[in-house]
């Protein structure tokens, strides 16, 4: 009997406790006759997903658990799971049961039969595939994202947004240090990071309806996809996190100028008072938007974490804020009519400090 491990199935999870035993049973049925293991990489789910998987692992040695504390994000979870296995081939499948596990043996057989094949991709958009209960709005958004992804990939891949695929493990290991690990679309990250075009085949499946738990899809996930595209195209010039922090800073500047203009020009408050109030409001705006976008995989949750993070953000940015107010007031004293320019320069003075310090002492400490 050949006991050689053939396949690892990496399952990134967050609040999927009800689906874990169902998925394991389905994997067992689909992979009869194969030597496999399932690695659940859990982002410290509050619903006890990791504990459920561990309880099953006590009786089934094919089940393993990686519980991540202080680290979040689907792509980075997949990378950790892939690097944790000795299997020569690894599959990535969602923990919400929407991917069809019955095509796993077909994909594995294809990789076994053809040593030149790098990737087997579960596809909703080839003949025989489908998107299940998606409404027209979601289909349209997916089609738009697919066109964007194809432009970056420069490959005739029908479903570049797929999160369901199988790949030779060493390929990912060799790429990990260069991957962005941003967002939900790890397949896009792998294919754009590879220095050579990866040889792939697509295998049709129909996307299932979620029956347990809550969908992770939201507008922020869509934003993360655009961020990942930016990173692959321009990240080597301007790092994506700094670009996001700066873009949010520009929005904060608009908030700053609007508040200052309202108080100083509209209500006749002193320039100093208007600048202090505008700085506080813009700083709060920047904190919450950066928490949702720039540091999404490290985002703070719950009242205590958010309050602590906001206080830390304000404290570490206080030097930048003091410089902001001081420089703006000085310049306004020199050129009284150019209040908007004075305020803008004041904001720019504190920007680099704010980024460096908040990265280290706000999101970096959790």
């Amino acid at each position: 009997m050949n006991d050689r491990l053939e396949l690892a199935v990496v399952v990134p999870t967050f609040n999927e406790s009800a689906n874990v035993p169902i998925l394991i049973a389905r994997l067992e049925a689909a992979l009869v006759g194969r030597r496999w293991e399932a690695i659940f990489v859990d982002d410290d789910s509050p619903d006890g997903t990791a504990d459920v998987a561990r309880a099953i692992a006590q009786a089934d040695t094919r089940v393993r658990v990686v519980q991540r504390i202080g680290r979040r994000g689907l792509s980075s979870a997949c990378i950790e799971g892939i690097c944790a296995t000795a299997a020569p081939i690894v599959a990535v499948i969602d923990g919400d049961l929407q991917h069809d596990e019955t095509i796993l043996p077909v994909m594995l057989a294809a990789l076994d039969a053809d040593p030149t094949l790098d990737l087997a991709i579960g596809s909703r958009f080839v003949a025989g595939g489908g998107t299940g209960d998606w409404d027209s709005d979601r289909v349209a958004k997916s089609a738009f994202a697919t066109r964007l992804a194809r432009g970056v990939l420069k490959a005739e891949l029908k479903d570049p947004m797929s999160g369901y695929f199988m790949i030779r493990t060493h390929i990912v290991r060799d790429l990990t240090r260069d991957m962005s690990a941003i967002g939900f679309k790890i397949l896009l990250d792998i294919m754009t990071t590879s220095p050579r075009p990866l040889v792939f085949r697509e295998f049709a499946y129909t996307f299932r309806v979620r029956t347990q738990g809550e969908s992770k899809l939201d507008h922020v996930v869509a934003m993360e996809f655009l961020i990942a595209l930016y990173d692959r195209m321009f990240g080597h010039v301007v790092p994506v996190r700094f670009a996001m922090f700066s873009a949010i800073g520009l929005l904060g500047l608009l908030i700053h100028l609007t508040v200052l203009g309202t108080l100083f020009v509209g209500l006749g408050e002193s320039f100093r008072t208007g600048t202090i109030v505008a700085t506080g409001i813009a700083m709060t705006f920047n904190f919450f938007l950066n928490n949702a976008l720039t540091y999404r995989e490290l985002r703070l949750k719950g009242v205590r974490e958010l309050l602590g993070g906001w206080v830390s953000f304000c404290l570490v940015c206080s030097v930048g804020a003091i410089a902001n107010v001081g420089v703006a007031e000085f310049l306004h004293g020199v050129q009284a009519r150019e209040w908007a320019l004075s305020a803008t320069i004041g904001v720019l003075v504190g920007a680099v400090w704010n980024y460096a310090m908040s990265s280290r002492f706000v999101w970096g400490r959790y």
Side-chain angles (χ1 to χ4, degrees), residues 73-76 180-186 221 224-225 228 296-297:
L74 185 143
S75 289
S76 59
S180 68
I182 294 172
F184 280 63
K185 301 305 173 186
I186 185 174
V221 173
E224 280 190 336
F225 170 66
R296 176 168 170 78
E297 76 281 8

Side-chain angles (χ1 to χ4, degrees), residues 195 227 261:
I227 290 166

Side-chain angles (χ1 to χ4, degrees), residues 82-279:
I82 291 169
C83 290
T85 185
I89 296 175
V90 62
V92 171
I93 189 171
D94 284 353
D96 56 14
L97 309 180
Q98 292 184 286
H99 292 154
D100 183 0
E101 74 289 336
T102 64
I103 67 169
L104 285 171
V106 179
M107 293 194 288
L108 183 56
L111 286 164
D112 284 341
D114 184 357
T116 67
L117 186 64
D118 299 310
L119 258 171
I121 301 169
S123 178
R124 298 158 293 184
F125 303 126
V126 294
T131 55
D133 67 339
W134 285 14
D135 58 28
S136 58
D137 180 62
R138 187 172 176 185
V139 170
K141 289 177 180 176
S142 179
F144 175 68
T146 296
R147 286 194 296 272
L148 289 177
R150 282 179 185 163
V152 174
L153 285 173
K154 298 179 181 178
E156 291 302 316
L157 177 57
K158 300 295 184 183
D159 196 356
M161 302 291 288
S162 178
Y164 182 27
F165 60 91
M166 190 177 291
I167 189 169
R168 300 189 189 279
T169 312
H170 71 86
I171 293 174
V172 181
R173 288 202 189 110
D174 291 343
L175 298 176
T176 50
R177 290 174 178 81
D178 297 317
M179 292 170 63
S180 68
I182 294 172
F184 280 63
K185 301 305 173 186
I186 185 174
L187 177 62
L188 182 67
D189 199 0
I190 291 170
M191 295 188 72
T192 54
T193 302
S194 176
R196 66 174 178 84
L198 296 178
V199 180
F200 64 86
R201 279 180 57 191
E202 294 184 79
F203 296 81
Y205 82 100
T206 298
F207 200 69
R208 292 171 177 156
V209 178
R210 172 184 274 274
T211 58
Q212 302 283 345
E214 297 180 358
S215 174
K216 309 300 188 300
L217 291 173
D218 56 27
H219 296 297
V220 176
V221 173
M223 180 67 71
E224 280 190 336
F225 170 66
L226 297 177
I227 290 166
L229 289 183
Y230 167 90
D231 184 65
R232 300 323 309 173
M233 297 174 70
F234 309 111
H236 61 287
V237 178
V238 179
V240 63
R241 201 185 297 280
F242 182 75
M244 292 171 63
F245 193 91
S246 300
I248 290 171
L250 289 176
L251 293 177
L253 174 59
L254 294 177
I255 299 293
H256 183 99
L257 295 177
T258 300
V259 174
L260 178 57
T262 300
L263 294 175
F264 177 60
V265 178
L267 301 178
E269 295 288 345
S270 70
F271 185 78
R272 173 183 291 181
T273 299
T275 299
I276 292 173
V277 173
T279 298

